[in-house]
C-alpha cells in the first residue's frame, strides 16, 4: 500500500451513505402496519370477489414485503447500488414467472 | 506508507476512520468492508429469491392445471393457525429489527434480550407448524408416506389424486421455509453467546445486520406462502 499506488481521494465510495440508524418508534409503526395488513388479508379472503380474491391477496402480500424490505431491511436508507441489486432480483424473478407461464399458456392455447 | 495503530485516527480521509480489530486488511476503510459484506448478503438473498421462485412458479402452474384439487386441498388447512403463525413471525421480525437497533446503539443487554425474543418467536412458529403437520399426518394428507383421497371423493378419483400435487408443494414450500428458520435459530443461539461477550456492541454490527437481512427474508417468504397456500381459494367452492 505505498502512496505511489494509493490515491486516498479515490477510496471513498461516492455511493457511500452514512450508517443510518432506524429507531424503535419507526419499527413499532412498521410492526403495527404489518399486523393490520395480516388482519386485512384474512378478512378479505372471506369476502367473495371471484377472480379478484387471489389478486387482492397477492397485492397485500407485495405491500407487506415492500414494507419489510424498505424499513426492517433498511433498503430505504441504502446506496443506489443495493437498491439496484434488489431491483434486479425482483426483475429476474418476474422474468422467471412471465417467460415460463407464457410458454405453458401458448402450448395449451385456449385451455387456460 | 501510513502506519496506523489500532484506535488511532486516520486523518487524511474525508471523515475520520478508527482502525478497529475486526477491520480486515484488504478493505481500505471500515465503511467499505461493511458495504461489501452487506452487498454480498444481498447477492446471496437474490439466489434465495430464485430458489423459492422456482417453487412459487411450480405452485402457480399446477394451481392453474388442477384448480379443483388445489381449492379442495387448501380448504383442509387451518386459517387460524396460519394467521397465528403469520403474527408470530412478524413479531419475531420486529424483535430482530430491534436487535439490530440495540447493536447499533451499543446496548449489550438489550441486544442479547432481543435476539432471545427473536428466537423465542421463531421456535413458537415451528411448534405451531409441528401441530399443523401432525394434523396432516392424522388426516392421511402426506403424499408418498400416508395418503388417502377419502376426504376428496366428490372431485372424482383422477382430480382427487391431484391433491397430492398440492400437498407435495405445501410440504416442499413450508418445509424449505422451516429449514431456513431452523438454520436461523441455530445461528441466533451462536450470536447470543457472542453478543453476550460484547462482540457486536463496540461498533462492529455487520454480522447482526446481515443476519437480520436473512431473518427478514425468511419472513417475506412466509408473507407470500400464507395467502397462497391458505387464503386465496377460501371463497371458491
Amino acid at each position: 500500500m505505498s502512496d505511489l499506488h494509493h490515491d486516498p481521494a479515490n477510496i471513498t465510495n461516492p455511493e457511500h451513505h452514512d450508517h443510518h440508524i432506524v429507531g424503535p418508534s419507526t419499527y413499532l409503526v412498521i410492526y403495527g402496519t404489518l399486523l393490520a395488513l395480516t388482519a386485512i388479508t384474512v378478512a378479505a379472503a372471506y369476502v367473495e370477489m371471484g377472480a379478484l380474491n387471489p389478486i387482492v391477496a397477492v397485492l397485500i402480500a407485495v405491500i407487506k414485503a415492500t414494507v419489510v424490505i424498505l424499513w426492517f431491511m433498511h433498503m430505504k436508507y441504502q446506496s443506489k447500488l443495493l437498491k439496484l441489486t434488489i431491483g434486479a432480483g425482483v426483475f429476474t424473478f418476474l422474468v422467471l414467472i412471465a417467460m415460463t407461464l407464457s410458454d405453458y399458456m401458448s402450448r395449451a392455447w385456449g385451455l387456460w | 506508507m501510513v502506519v496506523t495503530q489500532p484506535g488511532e485516527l486516520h486523518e487524511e480521509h474525508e471523515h475520520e476512520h478508527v482502525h478497529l480489530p475486526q477491520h480486515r486488511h484488504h478493505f481500505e476503510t471500515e465503511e467499505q468492508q461493511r458495504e461489501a459484506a452487506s452487498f454480498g448478503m444481498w447477492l446471496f438473498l437474490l439466489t434465495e429469491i430464485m430458489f423459492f421462485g422456482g417453487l412459487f412458479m411450480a405452485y402457480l402452474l399446477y394451481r392453474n392445471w388442477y384448480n379443483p384439487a388445489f381449492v379442495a386441498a387448501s380448504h383442509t388447512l387451518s386459517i387460524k393457525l396460519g394467521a397465528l403463525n403469520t403474527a408470530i413471525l412478524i413479531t419475531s421480525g420486529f424483535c430482530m429489527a430491534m436487535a439490530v437497533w440495540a447493536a447499533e446503539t451499543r446496548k449489550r443487554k438489550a441486544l442479547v434480550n432481543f435476539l432471545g425474543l427473536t428466537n423465542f418467536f421463531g421456535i413458537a412458529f415451528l411448534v405451531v407448524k409441528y401441530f399443523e403437520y401432525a394434523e396432516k399426518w392424522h388426516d392421511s394428507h402426506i403424499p408418498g408416506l400416508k395418503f388417502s383421497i377419502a376426504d376428496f371423493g366428490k372431485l372424482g378419483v383422477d382430480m382427487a389424486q391431484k391433491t397430492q400435487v398440492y400437498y407435495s408443494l405445501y410440504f416442499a414450500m413450508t418445509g424449505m421455509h422451516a429449514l431456513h428458520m431452523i438454520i436461523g435459530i441455530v445461528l441466533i443461539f451462536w450470536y447470543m453467546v457472542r453478543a453476550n461477550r460484547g462482540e457486536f456492541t463496540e461498533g462492529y454490527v455487520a454480522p447482526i445486520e446481515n443476519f437480520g437481512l436473512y431473518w427478514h427474508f425468511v419472513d417475506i417468504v412466509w408473507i407470500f406462502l400464507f395467502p397462497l397456500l391458505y387464503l386465496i381459494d377460501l371463497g371458491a367452492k
Side-chain angles (χ1 to χ4, degrees), chain A residues 1-3 6 8 11-13 15-24 27-28 30-31 34-35 38 41-42 45-48 50 53-55 57-58 60-62 64-66 68-69 72-75 78-79 81-82 85-86 88-90 92-93 96-98 100-101 104 108 112, chain B residues 1-2 12-15 17 25 28-29 31-32 34-35 38-39 42-43 45-46 49-50 52-54 56-57 60-61 63-65 79 83 86-87 90-94 97-98 100-101 104-105 205 209 212-214 216-217 219-220 223-224 226-228 231-237:
Chain A
M1 215 176 37
S2 81
D3 281 330
H6 181 73
I11 60 165
T12 312
N13 180 1
E15 281 287 318
H16 173 67
H17 284 215
D18 276 325
H19 195 156
H20 188 284
I21 297 176
V22 186
Y27 286 144
L28 268 175
I30 298 307
Y31 177 47
L34 289 171
L35 285 182
T38 304
T41 194
V42 172
Y46 284 97
V47 183
E48 278 199 40
N53 273 113
I55 295 171
V58 171
I60 294 174
V62 168
K64 285 167 80 177
T66 309
V68 171
I69 290 171
F72 277 0
M73 298 170 94
H74 302 164
M75 190 46 72
Q78 301 290 4
S79 62
L81 172 68
L82 280 188
T85 306
I86 180 74
V90 174
T92 316
F93 172 66
L96 167 77
I97 300 285
T100 315
L101 268 189
Y104 275 105
W112 284 70
Chain B
M1 185 158 139
V2 183
E12 64 187 9
H13 297 170
E14 204 178 319
H15 29 236
H17 294 288
H25 74 275
E28 293 277 9
T29 64
E31 280 78 16
Q32 189 194 40
R34 202 180 64 81
E35 281 170 356
S38 175
F39 182 57
W42 275 102
L43 287 184
L45 292 184
L46 292 204
I49 292 178
M50 295 317 282
F52 280 100
F56 278 108
M57 180 59 234
L60 191 60
L61 186 67
R63 183 179 177 272
N64 277 291
W65 276 2
I79 309 263
T86 308
I90 289 173
T91 308
S92 179
F94 168 71
M98 290 300 291
V100 173
W101 168 79
E104 287 168 335
T105 52
V205 298
E209 212 177 15
L213 293 179
Y214 171 83
H216 294 308
F217 172 81
D219 269 14
I220 290 176
I223 282 174
F224 282 98
F226 174 53
L228 289 178
L231 293 178
I232 58 177
D233 290 316
L234 209 57
K237 289 287 167 308

Side-chain angles (χ1 to χ4, degrees), chain B residues 153-215:
Chain B
K154 65 176 178 9
L155 291 174
V157 176
D158 273 359
M159 192 49 86
Q161 286 291 356
K162 295 296 189 288
T163 56
Q164 295 199 56
V165 179
Y166 174 86
Y167 286 117
S168 298
L169 284 166
Y170 168 78
F171 283 112
M173 295 169 101
T174 59
M176 267 306 154
H177 177 262
L179 179 65
H180 277 77
M181 299 224 24
I182 291 166
I183 293 169
I185 286 164
V186 172
L187 286 173
I188 290 177
F189 278 124
W190 179 51
Y191 283 136
M192 280 172 77
V193 173
R194 292 177 60 190
N196 197 39
R197 292 201 294 249
E199 281 188 39
F200 307 123
T201 35
E202 299 296 328
Y204 179 48
V205 298
I208 297 297
E209 212 177 15
N210 289 332
F211 177 79
L213 293 179
Y214 171 83
W215 196 253

